[in-house]
Amino acid sequence: MTAARATDFDDWLVQTFGRVGAFSVLIVLVEIDETSVALLCSSYLHVIADETRWTDMTRLFDGSGAAWNGAAFFEADQAGLVADAVARQRLTSLTRHLEKDRSILNEGAFFDARGLRLNVEEIIAR
């Protein structure tokens, strides 16, 4: 029995799995402040079913020891699963680009600690 969908993350995961089947996902945990987003840690995983829910993910994230309050998910490849070596290489590249430009978070699926969808917006100093 599939768990009920309660968050934007749950909907995203089910929709993505429905579109591509099993897939590899790059994950970046962040700390969101009022005017900034700090990168904390990253990893990848292979999604092989659509039963995982936000509460399952937060348990994993809490085990990282990072004081996170946001997470971004990026498909490692639009075709689905990739090998571990490929996922690691793409994660390294992604984090290098995110170090320079946090707006890239919007290219993935970006969620707050409640599993609700977010977007990064530039603050224009006046």
Side-chain angles (χ1 to χ4, degrees):
M1 178 176 203
T2 302
R5 294 187 242 171
T7 67
D8 294 341
F9 169 84
D10 300 339
D11 292 338
W12 170 80
L13 185 120
V14 169
Q15 290 168 2
T16 303
F17 189 84
R19 181 174 42 82
V20 296
F23 65 101
S24 300
V25 64
L26 312 176
I27 305 167
V28 179
L29 294 183
V30 300
E31 180 180 16
I32 304 165
D33 197 348
E34 202 163 307
T35 60
S36 65
V37 177
L39 305 179
L40 299 174
C41 57
S42 60
S43 190
Y44 68 91
L45 60 87
H46 305 294
V47 178
I48 59 170
D50 68 358
E51 290 97 14
T52 300
R53 294 296 176 258
W54 185 245
T55 54
D56 303 316
M57 293 305 298
T58 59
R59 273 188 237 113
L60 286 173
F61 297 163
D62 290 344
S64 74
W68 69 277
N69 61 2
F73 298 79
F74 297 84
E75 291 177 60
D77 191 288
Q78 291 181 350
L81 291 169
V82 299
D84 287 341
V86 172
R88 280 191 297 275
Q89 181 272 330
R90 291 183 181 171
L91 183 61
T92 298
S93 177
L94 173 64
T95 54
R96 189 173 50 249
H97 286 91
L98 283 169
E99 286 287 342
K100 297 175 185 170
D101 182 3
R102 299 294 196 272
S103 72
I104 294 170
L105 292 166
N106 293 333
E107 296 174 19
F110 187 31
F111 304 96
D112 68 10
R114 297 169 298 166
L116 302 177
R117 190 68 90 145
L118 293 176
N119 280 307
V120 172
E121 294 183 11
E122 183 178 359
I123 296 174
I124 300 172
R126 294 181 187 220

